[in-house]
Amino acid sequence: MSPRVVLVGPMGAGKTTVAALLAAHWGLEVRDTDTDIEQAVGMTVQELFVDSGEAEFRRLEEEAVAAALAEHRGVLALGGGAVLSADTRGLLQGHTVVHLDVGLSDAVQRVGLGESRPVLNQALGGVRARIKQLLDERGPLYREVATHTVDTGGRIPEDVAAEIEERLG
């Protein structure tokens, strides 16, 4: 067995919120790999980035995703950068993966100034420019692993979850 669905996408796409809605509707557990990492190391993702750096976070993220894919039977939300790992992309093959797509303006509006988003704290040229860069870099990777893509732009999470439910049956 494997997760009923794995949600991937950039920050601001609504992965955590939509995952919770789907899990509640289907009577399943919800799991978020960022939360798994935080519980394992006893600090927030933000603190981990500052204390140990992005490379260590990505290593822990690969482990967390592999464990969740092997153990979890509910709805799984991955961190926005999880698809950067070729190993993770390989592990996602054969799973039902929904890419929650979001445009630049919606992502910026949802994320705000990004104080709690470590990859935005590195923004030279502003948060908007960094979000655009991340969308451009990661978009092809999200599409590579996705079995379905759902546009979240201008939509409330309940509508996004309903579309996913309809698609997956």
Side-chain angles (χ1 to χ4, degrees), residues 25-155:
H25 183 264
W26 288 330
L28 298 171
E29 302 243 345
V30 65
R31 187 164 173 177
D32 185 304
T33 55
D34 281 350
T35 302
D36 289 352
I37 294 165
E38 290 177 344
Q39 290 174 348
V41 299
M43 63 179 79
T44 67
V45 169
Q46 172 80 5
E47 292 166 338
L48 182 59
F49 260 72
V50 170
D51 290 355
S52 302
E54 184 172 1
E56 176 63 6
F57 171 76
R58 296 297 173 205
R59 185 188 71 74
L60 293 168
E61 184 174 52
E62 282 184 4
E63 292 175 2
V65 172
L69 289 172
E71 303 164 359
H72 188 62
R73 305 294 174 253
V75 180
L76 178 61
L78 303 188
V83 297
L84 294 171
S85 163
D87 289 344
T88 295
R89 293 193 308 273
L91 289 174
L92 288 170
Q93 291 178 6
H95 291 277
T96 301
V97 179
V98 175
H99 167 211
L100 298 185
D101 196 14
V102 64
L104 178 60
S105 60
D106 280 314
V108 170
Q109 182 179 11
R110 293 174 187 173
V111 171
L113 295 177
E115 290 93 358
S116 66
R117 309 284 182 151
V119 295
L120 294 183
N121 292 339
Q122 309 160 8
L124 300 174
V127 170
R128 184 180 181 86
R130 180 66 174 144
I131 292 174
K132 180 179 184 336
Q133 178 186 17
L134 292 171
L135 291 173
D136 292 346
E137 290 172 356
R138 297 175 181 180
L141 302 175
Y142 297 133
R143 291 187 289 277
E144 175 186 326
V145 301
T147 52
H148 302 276
T149 296
V150 175
D151 183 5
T152 68
R155 301 174 71 190

